[in-house]
């Protein structure tokens, strides 16, 4: 059995994807938290972009990029969270990639430093979320009733949208009923509360109050 160590930053949505996969597939792992504002030297030496998540395998191999880590964990544990049909698998990978960009754009939105930036990022994120409506059907998850890596890729984003009370703004029910239902389903995942530290919400909000005072004020966090 391989030994896994996940290098994490407590409020990172990309790390959270890997944690959900580890929990869902019941894979044992150790987590090491770092402070991204002052990363240790050993981390700089193993992370080519200086980003988390990094997965260390057997204390010697380094795998980075959340989507790649998720696929690796899926491939090396029993069962699969990707469809067997190659076309469907390709489509899932496309929407996982889309989810990465959307998560980064959402991060840009919530780190906006003024009204102009906030409003333009808000329009961008709304436009991107709209794309999801037509990819969903009436099933519980992205692939109908099969839970998949696509669901895992978006759960951290919808968790943050929910905590900040941006659900109605970014995915209004009348306009995006399927996205709204999907997001509610993802928020109910049993792995979700365990995939973050117990004081996540307070940490996340205080991070925004410190790093993005404009957004924090606009969202009523302070
Ligand atoms: N594409 C990467 C994005 C990871 C990412 O942006 N991580 C952030 C934390 S949430 C990070 O490490 N930022 C540090 C930096 O950019 O210096 C992935 O999916 O793993």
């Amino acid at each position: 059995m391989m030994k896994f160590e996940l290098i994490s930053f407590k409020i990172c949505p990309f790390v959270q994807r890997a944690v959900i996969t580890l929990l869902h597939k019941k894979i044992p792992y150790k987590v090491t938290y770092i402070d991204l504002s002052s990363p240790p030297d050993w981390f700089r030496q193993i992370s080519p972009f200086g980003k988390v998540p990094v997965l260390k395998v057997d204390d010697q191999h380094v795998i980075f990029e959340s989507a790649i880590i998720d696929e690796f964990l899926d491939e090396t544990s029993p069962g699969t969270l990707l469809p067997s049909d190659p076309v469907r698998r390709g489509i899932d990978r496309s929407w996982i990639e889309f989810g990465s960009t959307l998560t980064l754009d959402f991060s840009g939105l919530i780190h906006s430093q003024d009204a102009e930036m906030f409003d333009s990022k808000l329009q961008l994120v709304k436009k991107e979320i709209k794309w999801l409506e037509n990819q969903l059907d009436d099933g519980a998850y992205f692939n109908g009733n099969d839970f998949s890596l696509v669901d895992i890729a978006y759960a951290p984003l919808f968790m943050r949208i929910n905590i900040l009370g941006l659900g109605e703004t970014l995915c209004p029910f009348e306009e995006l009923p399927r996205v709204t239902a999907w997001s509610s389903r993802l928020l109910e995942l049993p792995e979700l509360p365990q995939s973050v530290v117990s004081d996540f919400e307070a940490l996340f909000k205080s991070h925004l109050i410190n790093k993005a005072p404009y957004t924090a004020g606009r969202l009523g966090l302070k």
Side-chain angles (χ1 to χ4, degrees):
M1 197 174 192
M2 284 178 279
K3 185 177 155 197
F4 296 129
E5 177 183 359
L6 185 67
I7 316 303
S8 171
F9 176 62
K10 287 181 181 167
I11 58 169
C12 175
F14 299 100
V15 172
Q16 197 184 352
R17 289 171 157 185
V19 179
I20 298 171
T21 306
L22 286 158
L23 293 171
H24 183 82
K25 298 203 90 178
K26 299 188 172 37
I27 302 168
Y29 69 101
K30 167 188 163 185
V31 64
T32 300
Y33 296 107
I34 60 159
D35 178 1
L36 275 178
S37 60
S38 132
D41 278 348
W42 61 261
F43 174 72
R44 292 176 205 272
Q45 279 159 28
I46 62 169
S47 176
F49 296 128
K51 292 184 182 196
V52 290
V54 165
L55 184 73
K56 281 179 82 180
V57 180
D58 291 337
D59 294 321
Q60 48 179 329
H61 308 292
V62 166
I63 300 180
F64 58 98
E65 285 295 322
S66 59
I68 309 296
I69 292 172
D70 270 1
E71 280 212 38
F72 168 77
L73 292 169
D74 190 43
E75 264 173 32
T76 54
S77 59
T80 179
L81 293 171
L82 280 177
S84 53
D85 172 52
V87 174
R88 239 355 286 185
R89 222 166 38 242
I91 293 170
D92 275 18
R93 290 186 174 119
S94 300
W95 289 100
I96 289 169
E97 181 65 27
F98 184 83
S100 297
T101 301
L102 176 50
T103 302
L104 274 179
D105 289 337
F106 177 76
S107 178
L109 163 66
I110 63 177
H111 287 91
S112 294
Q113 299 298 332
D114 55 43
E116 194 187 339
M117 188 175 174
F118 188 94
D119 291 328
S120 84
K121 296 269 178 201
L122 190 70
Q123 290 320 312
L124 172 69
V125 171
K126 278 177 92 161
K127 194 176 85 185
E128 288 174 350
I129 288 183
K130 243 177 159 174
W131 270 93
L132 296 170
E133 185 68 11
N134 290 336
Q135 313 311 316
L136 296 162
D137 61 21
D138 291 326
Y141 300 114
F142 189 83
N143 291 335
N145 286 322
D146 294 330
F147 182 65
S148 72
L149 291 183
V150 187
D151 303 295
I152 292 176
Y154 286 84
L157 169 72
F158 284 116
M159 184 178 173
R160 284 156 182 74
I161 289 176
N162 184 54
I163 287 174
L164 297 179
L166 281 166
E168 253 310 294
T169 310
L170 293 175
C171 7
F173 175 71
E174 307 73 47
E175 207 185 324
L176 305 176
R178 288 178 173 163
V179 176
T180 311
W182 185 42
S183 121
S184 306
R185 211 41 94 111
L186 297 181
L187 293 176
E188 283 165 12
L189 289 177
E191 295 85 359
L192 207 61
Q194 299 165 51
S195 63
V196 287
V197 288
S198 56
D199 56 347
F200 173 79
E201 191 164 328
L203 274 179
F204 179 49
K205 287 181 175 171
S206 75
H207 166 86
L208 289 180
I209 290 167
N210 290 329
K211 301 274 182 198
Y214 172 79
T215 305
R218 179 131 169 195
L219 298 180
L221 303 184
K222 53 171 191 173

